[in-house]
Amino acid sequence: MAVKHIEEKNFEQEVLNFKGTVFLDFWASWCGPCQRMSSVVEEIAKENPDILVGKVNVDENPNLAMAFRVMSIPMFVVLKDGKVVSQTVGARSKQNLEAML
């Protein structure tokens, strides 16, 4: 499954109503570590078609960033059936991120 761009206007429909696992990447275009993690996030999306992988631009979606208490980026959050089950901040290895799933 391709990475979806999650915004405030489609968050409820795409994320909260998704039955199963959601992996969110909170990022910004000016963030170097976020840019480096982008290819890893893309790989996770391609290798896990049953998981919704989404990217949330914190500059364009400040209310979502506040709702998830994003203080540093990149921040990765895993939700199952709309509930947060794990999260981590900073550049991580692919294996570390996959272990969250």
Side-chain angles (χ1 to χ4, degrees):
M1 186 181 290
V3 174
K4 291 195 176 216
H5 292 277
I6 304 299
E7 300 174 334
E8 291 163 6
K9 65 183 177 189
N10 71 357
F11 181 78
E12 183 174 352
Q13 175 189 340
E14 294 286 351
V15 176
L16 295 183
N17 291 338
F18 188 82
K19 299 296 180 214
T21 302
V22 177
F23 178 80
L24 294 177
D25 171 14
F26 288 86
W27 69 286
S29 60
W30 49 263
C31 168
C34 298
Q35 300 302 327
R36 288 192 296 279
M37 293 304 300
S38 186
S39 63
V40 173
V41 172
E42 294 278 345
E43 284 178 28
I44 290 172
K46 286 180 188 163
E47 295 170 7
N48 298 278
D50 55 324
I51 294 173
L52 170 64
V53 177
K55 292 178 73 75
V56 180
N57 184 315
V58 296
D59 291 331
E60 295 173 1
N61 300 281
N63 293 329
L64 282 179
M66 275 196 307
F68 280 88
R69 296 185 176 100
V70 177
M71 298 293 169
S72 297
I73 51 174
M75 181 170 144
F76 304 98
V77 177
V78 175
L79 298 94
K80 294 202 184 204
D81 298 322
K83 306 272 189 259
V84 174
V85 294
S86 63
Q87 63 185 45
T88 190
V89 175
R92 298 282 183 256
S93 69
K94 181 180 173 187
Q95 292 80 11
N96 185 284
L97 294 177
E98 288 176 326
M100 294 173 60
L101 303 173

